[in-house]
Each structure stands twice: as C-alpha cells, then as structure tokens.
Amino acid sequence: MKLSSTSLCVHATTFLAVLALTASLAEAQRARPKRLPRYELHVIEPFQPGATATSSAASVNDLGQVTGYSTAPGERAYLWSLATGAVDLGERPSALVSGGRDVNLFGAVAGSSGTATLWTGVGSMIPIAAPPGTYAPFAFGLNDVGRVVGHASVSSNLTAAWVWDPLQGTRDLRNLGVPGAATATAINESNQIVGQRLIGNYKAYRFDLDTGTLTDLGTLGGPTSEALGINDLGDVVGSARNANYNTRPFLWTQAGGMQDLGSLGGQPYDFGKATSIDSSGRVVGFSSTGTESHAFLWDAVHGMRDLNALVDELGTFRLITANRIGNTGWIVGDGRESAPGSLPRAYVLRPR
C-alpha cells in the first residue's frame, strides 16, 4: 500500500488536530473534582434477534465510537455511535465470523474476518498477513497512525506476536527484540506494545517499538501474568497469579511496579482481570463477587467500585465485564439481563 506525500501530510495534520482535541478533553477530565462518575446505559442489540443472538463490545475511542461483534446470525464486526447505532462493517469472502477488537480516533477498526483485518470504512478492508512461519493471524490492538498488533499460530498450542503497518507490513516481534513474544494485545500512541511472552512461564511485557526497549513486568508472586491494556503514559494493566495461584487484576507503573487492585468479593481469592486504563489512571475490568463476575472501575482515590452501582436507570441489566475505557470516560463491555438463561449483550456507558 503506497501513500503519497500529500495524503501523508493531510493525515498528519488531521491526526495532530484530533490529538490536540483529545489532550484537551483528557485534561478537562483530570481537572474535574475527584468524585465517582455516573453513567447512562446503552445496550447494543444483535443485528438479528433469535434464541442464540448475542452481541459484544470490545473497544471505544475518545469520540464514543464502539466496535465489537453482533450476530446476524453469524458474528459480524460493527461500528457503533449514538448517531448511527451499530453499522455492519462487512466481511471478507468466505469469512465464517468477523469481529472488531479495537477502534482508533479516525474510526478505523482492527479485528478479524477470515484473517487479521483493518477496516478503514464500511466494506473497505485491508487483510493483514501472518508473519513468515505462522498462520491464522488475529488482530487485537490499533493506534491512531494505523499500526496494528496481534498474534498468529506457530503450532496448535503456540502463538507468536506481531506488529503491522502499511509501509513495513507484518513483522514478528520475536525478531524485533521480544524473545518468546506470544501475544500482543494493545499498542499506545508512543508505539509501546504489551502482551505475554514465554520465558519458562507466560509473563507480561512492555516493548517500546521505537527504541527497542523490552521491560518484563513480573507477577504478583505466582508463576504467570498477562498484559491487556496500556495508556499513553506507558502504564499497563492486566492480570497475574499471586502466591496462592489466584488470578488478580494489576496496575503496573514505572515508578511503582505491579500493584494488586483488589476484588469486589472482599476475599483475597477472587478471580479478576484489569483490561484497560485511560490517561488519567482510571482502570476497568471485571472481578468475582462471590456469585458471578461484575465489571469494575478503579481509581487511586476510590479504589475498586462495582460499575453496576454507578449506572443510572440500570433496571435488570447487569454489567459483567468492562473491556475498554476511553480517555473521555466512555466505557464498553458485555452484560446481560438478570433472568436465568439470558445471553450476553454489548453495552456502552456514556459519562454524565
């Protein structure tokens, strides 16, 4: 894919303008009084109703655009906004399922449709090839300059992490300075990538693509960890085993190392994961309550809070996971009605 100097210039100008707007919005968020926010709920229904119909929300950008998948009846990638609702992005020929995993400020979506795919518009798809020696690539993360990260299979039980951009194509992270790189789950605007690498056990890492600097993030005293999200300051969230082999949500910072964020169940043995962090340090994820998992919001002032308690007019809907938080406060994830047998539905929380 060849880009002209004119298109690159226009893209760069637009990119800088949007970054300036986002920085301003994020600064306004940080300047607000430290109080618990309130949210309004929007549920994304499946494209076609049915006894097995589901929907899921994976990511939201700072403008409130959401991506994930919705059954129609097969899984289909979508882009949602308040103005348009869920719009089917289309799928590649012979794709059995499609799904969006990340959306950037320009509304581009990274995900999978038969292979790793970058949607630049409805029906406009760029296939992403697997690195040499691998197959079946999946895309998970995307930044605003269009760089995509993901993983591909090496064998039936081993994967390799990769990074892609339109100029250099797909590159295996194992060849760029991340020995044992198995997954790449997210990338920020500074081209820092996070995921897992296999070094005896699977451990979380952060890799600076521009400088080649690799940082192992450690664990909470147990054997394994995984990094799931990163903000533009380089702070990382994910999950790690503790000394009792229980999976706990963590926040890692350069200054403080890895911190256990706690649980909603009040017990040290509850299962939980932190999935996303914004530029002001707010973290979302999910944690066991003792009977089921609930979505949480964590910040340094209030600690971990059940997101269900922060939503106005929630009714009988329950927020089970929180998968992404944007710098302007939008949160997305998956939930369901409280009635037994209810199937998952994507939700969007708009800050009031």
Side-chain angles (χ1 to χ4, degrees), residues 111-310:
S112 299
S113 182
T115 185
T117 301
L118 177 66
W119 282 269
T120 57
V122 176
S124 179
M125 291 159 276
I126 300 172
I128 298 174
T134 69
Y135 60 96
F138 289 85
F140 298 108
L142 169 69
N143 67 11
D144 291 335
V145 297
R147 191 163 278 120
V148 183
V149 296
H151 72 232
S153 295
V154 177
S155 64
S156 60
N157 60 356
L158 185 65
T159 59
W162 51 261
V163 58
W164 175 93
D165 65 65
L167 298 179
Q168 300 181 82
T170 311
R171 293 178 287 165
D172 191 323
L173 285 183
R174 298 174 300 175
N175 300 329
L176 298 179
V178 192
T183 67
T185 53
I187 181 170
N188 66 11
E189 301 313 314
S190 299
N191 293 318
Q192 293 175 317
I193 300 167
V194 296
Q196 269 186 327
R197 72 188 191 106
L198 184 58
I199 44 174
N201 286 303
Y202 285 100
K203 303 285 182 64
Y205 72 85
R206 187 186 74 178
F207 178 64
D208 191 318
L209 185 63
D210 294 338
T211 66
T213 303
L214 173 64
T215 304
D216 285 313
L217 306 185
T219 73
L220 292 171
T224 61
S225 59
E226 61 176 341
L228 298 173
I230 184 170
N231 65 13
D232 290 334
L233 301 177
D235 304 324
V236 183
V237 295
S239 68
R241 292 284 187 93
N242 63 17
N244 293 326
Y245 280 59
N246 302 118
T247 300
R248 309 284 293 177
F250 76 74
L251 165 64
W252 181 94
T253 64
Q254 189 72 52
M258 187 175 287
Q259 172 188 353
D260 187 329
L261 296 184
S263 76
L264 294 175
Q267 303 176 35
Y269 307 111
D270 285 341
F271 179 92
K273 292 187 177 186
T275 55
S276 179
I277 180 171
D278 72 4
S279 60
S280 65
R282 293 174 297 186
V283 179
V284 297
F286 57 93
S287 172
S288 170
T289 64
T291 57
E292 62 179 352
S293 291
H294 277 190
F296 71 73
L297 173 67
W298 180 96
D299 65 60
V301 174
H302 303 98
M304 185 181 290
R305 293 290 184 272
D306 191 325
L307 259 180
N308 289 273
L310 303 178

Side-chain angles (χ1 to χ4, degrees), residues 59 70 343:
S59 182
S70 176
L343 296 178

